[in-house]
Amino acid sequence: MEFFAEVVQALGVPRSVGQIYGLLFGSPRALSFTDIVERLDLSKGSASQGLQMLRSLGAVQNVSTDRDRRDLFEPELSLRKLVGGVLHEKVEPLLKGGNTRMQRLRTAAASAPVQAGEKFSQSRVKQLEAWRRQMGLLLPVLKTFLGPGRA
């Protein structure tokens, strides 16, 4: 659990999300919401939000059995699907919604003071625009590499 908690924290995601995934990853059977809350000593709200985020990324899935009517959760084990889920849910929306942000940055940079004979802020905005274009080109390649599915 600690490994996953540290990984998601490095990505700016709440530690509890990594703990939930780590618990499911290390469990030989699917776990219920109550199991997760009790084993991790999380509030129901934290567990619910964590599971919601993991489901939206495709990192966990609900499973059901004939014997147990409760919602049970198990982890997605395919790295391809996990990365595809992050690209689809987090990276794509950033790239698609970035036009407004970039315009605000351009406007702010145009009014920034001149430093060292060049508009420092404008050069940084140009760098961000280049990175954004490159990510826009790289994303379809990554999606093709990851193959069909969530990507």
Side-chain angles (χ1 to χ4, degrees):
M1 279 191 305
E2 284 303 308
F3 170 76
F4 293 108
E6 290 173 11
V7 167
V8 300
Q9 270 189 306
L11 299 172
V13 174
R15 180 177 182 77
S16 59
V17 173
Q19 290 174 312
I20 293 168
Y21 184 83
L23 176 65
L24 294 171
F25 184 87
S27 176
R29 64 179 179 80
L31 299 176
S32 71
F33 179 81
T34 304
D35 293 332
I36 293 166
V37 168
E38 289 174 357
R39 290 188 187 186
L40 295 176
D41 194 28
L42 293 174
S43 71
K44 289 180 180 180
S46 290
S48 178
Q49 287 179 336
L51 283 167
Q52 175 75 22
M53 176 178 276
L54 289 167
R55 277 193 300 249
S56 74
L57 295 172
V60 300
Q61 49 225 330
N62 292 56
V63 294
S64 61
T65 64
D66 293 334
R67 294 188 326 245
D68 198 337
R69 297 249 183 244
R70 300 176 295 168
D71 280 340
L72 299 174
F73 303 94
E74 64 182 16
E76 173 58 60
L77 300 177
S78 165
L79 183 61
R80 179 176 289 200
K81 288 182 181 177
L82 291 171
V83 171
V86 171
L87 289 175
H88 179 73
E89 291 294 321
K90 299 296 180 187
V91 177
E92 272 188 83
L94 280 174
L95 289 174
K96 289 179 181 175
N99 290 334
T100 303
R101 282 189 299 274
M102 288 306 300
Q103 185 56 45
R104 284 196 310 259
L105 283 172
R106 276 188 227 101
T107 301
S111 62
V114 175
Q115 295 181 8
E118 175 186 8
K119 288 243 179 188
F120 176 78
S121 299
Q122 288 179 340
S123 69
R124 293 295 194 208
V125 169
K126 286 180 184 175
Q127 183 66 56
L128 285 174
E129 288 173 329
W131 287 352
R132 188 165 173 259
R133 277 191 305 277
Q134 290 167 348
M135 278 303 297
L137 295 172
L138 182 59
L139 191 60
V141 173
L142 288 174
K143 289 171 73 172
T144 300
F145 175 73
L146 292 172
R150 288 194 47 99

